[in-house]
Amino acid sequence: MGSLFDFMLPELESPLTGASTDAVMAFIHIVSFIILAGVTIALIYFAIKYKRKSEDDETPLITHNNKLEITWSVIPLLLVFIVFGWGYKGWLNLQTPPDNAYEIHVSAYKWGWTFSYENGAQIGNEVHVPAGRPVKLVMQSQDVLHSFFVPDYRIKQDVLPNRYTTVWFQAEEEGESQVFCTEYCGTSHSDMLATVVAHTQEDFEAWLDEQNTGGGGTPVERGESLVSIQGCVTCHSVDGSQKIGPSFQGLFGREETMTNGTTLTADENYIRESILNPSAKIVEGYQNQMVSYEGRLSDDDISDIIEYIKTLED
Ligand code: CUA
């Protein structure tokens, strides 16, 4: 497609997430152009052909034409189905980060972005990523709604307070891409910018090693000490043994059956909810005995605990 569409979209830097978006967009434009051209040509042709030629020309009375009406209903319907099916497939892909994705935490606030790494490094308004590898962002807002948008990658995802949202991409080449906030969030919304810097894997690791980790330990280390300080381990074992509450071992990603018979997969949002509102979803076979940690744990604390639980595999 190349140059024909270059004036509409920036160059695609993450084909794994963006190729289908570009293809659907090209399809819609090409089909629209064909329909526009067809309608225009027919309009001009009929205007000339059926022009009133003399004073006693009479317009015939035509009420409807079944064949014509079915044709102009079914063709657009099929086109819309194609766009829907294609778009849905692309959306599913965007919703499903690859298992081997490199994870970075994103905290949005009025008006900026903080990116946190596994080794404890934090950096503002600049996110460094390895090229040629899928990257998954786990995002949360400290205040109002924001939205993380990288046009080069064709990804956009709302960032909300009190809930985690995720987005993924894979930059194929080294280079920089612009991040915008695309949810109006107050006075400096338009200044809420960041840059994605894609490095080779080697350069990325070197960059990460150089970052100041603040001496507070990694998120996993902080999480481990929190579950001990806050008393979580009194009721939740970390080695799979049976206690008052479900064990943390193997919890993340586990399919759980609730007391009301529904099942769910334990993810970031489920663990967060269970910490802040423990009675919301009780695992089958357990009692509602936990008190809320609302006000006792900050958003960062909760994210650290989740990172720690993720490491407790079966
Ligand atoms: Cu944040 Cu707009």
Side-chain angles (χ1 to χ4, degrees):
M1 224 41 75
S3 57
L4 183 60
F5 288 94
D6 282 355
F7 72 99
M8 292 197 287
L9 289 168
E11 200 170 319
L12 179 61
E13 303 288 354
S14 170
L16 287 180
T17 54
S20 73
T21 308
D22 286 15
V24 175
M25 178 152 154
F27 176 77
I28 292 172
H29 277 91
I30 290 167
V31 167
S32 301
F33 182 76
I34 291 171
I35 293 173
L36 172 73
V39 168
T40 308
I41 290 167
L43 184 89
I44 294 168
Y45 171 74
F46 290 137
I48 294 167
K49 183 170 179 198
Y50 295 108
K51 185 177 185 297
R52 196 182 189 210
K53 300 197 177 66
S54 69
E55 282 302 316
D56 34 63
D57 254 7
E58 245 180 63
T59 307
L61 178 69
I62 300 169
T63 55
H64 64 282
N65 182 323
N66 282 338
K67 266 189 208 154
L68 191 63
E69 284 166 25
I70 289 169
T71 310
W72 80 40
S73 301
V74 169
I75 292 175
L77 187 69
L78 290 177
L79 291 173
V80 169
F81 272 128
I82 292 171
V83 171
F84 173 78
W86 204 342
Y88 185 64
K89 203 168 156 243
W91 179 81
L92 283 180
N93 172 46
L94 288 172
Q95 294 301 99
T96 319
D99 284 341
N100 62 338
Y102 183 76
E103 209 175 287
I104 300 169
H105 274 252
V106 182
S107 179
Y109 59 92
K110 290 193 288 186
W111 289 278
W113 308 89
T114 305
F115 300 93
S116 309
Y117 290 81
E118 53 183 339
N119 67 351
Q122 287 195 322
I123 177 164
N125 299 329
E126 220 179 72
V127 54
H128 293 250
V129 301
R133 182 173 172 191
V135 172
K136 175 186 173 187
L137 303 180
V138 178
M139 309 188 288
Q140 200 179 18
S141 166
Q142 296 173 24
D143 37 51
V144 298
L145 294 170
H146 302 277
S147 186
F148 186 88
F149 178 38
V150 186
D152 287 356
Y153 301 162
R154 315 288 193 263
I155 55 163
K156 180 153 77 169
Q157 173 62 53
D158 279 6
V159 184
L160 318 176
N162 306 319
R163 194 193 303 176
Y164 296 99
T165 54
T166 59
V167 71
W168 77 278
F169 57 86
Q170 177 168 329
E172 295 300 346
E173 308 274 328
E174 291 169 76
E176 297 193 357
S177 291
Q178 182 70 53
V179 179
F180 296 97
C181 175
T182 40
E183 187 73 60
Y184 180 67
C185 54
T187 315
S188 299
H189 157 71
S190 55
D191 293 326
M192 193 168 160
L193 306 169
T195 312
V196 192
V197 187
H199 301 278
T200 61
Q201 183 73 34
E202 243 172 47
D203 288 355
F204 171 72
E205 275 158 26
W207 173 86
L208 194 56
D209 284 342
E210 272 171 26
Q211 297 308 301
N212 182 4
T213 53
T218 66
V220 172
E221 286 163 0
R222 291 196 299 262
E224 182 172 12
S225 100
L226 278 167
V227 298
S228 155
I229 296 166
Q230 295 288 344
C232 314
V233 288
T234 314
C235 302
H236 300 275
S237 78
V238 296
D239 60 4
S241 59
Q242 194 63 31
K243 286 191 175 180
I244 289 172
S247 176
F248 285 162
Q249 191 186 43
L251 170 63
F252 193 84
R254 185 161 65 206
E255 184 128 315
E256 297 273 33
T257 307
M258 300 293 126
T259 45
N260 66 5
T262 58
T263 57
L264 59 80
T265 303
D267 61 2
E268 286 97 344
N269 282 316
Y270 167 71
I271 297 174
R272 181 184 163 87
E273 182 185 48
S274 298
I275 292 171
L276 297 176
N277 184 11
S279 61
K281 295 187 183 96
I282 305 288
V283 177
E284 197 170 46
Y286 293 91
Q287 305 277 315
N288 173 17
Q289 301 201 33
M290 181 173 154
V291 290
S292 168
Y293 275 74
E294 180 102 57
R296 289 162 70 185
L297 292 170
S298 70
D299 285 347
D300 286 344
D301 291 343
I302 293 170
S303 295
D304 292 343
I305 290 172
I306 293 169
E307 285 314 299
Y308 170 59
I309 290 175
K310 282 181 184 173
T311 65
L312 300 171
E313 291 171 0
D314 280 325

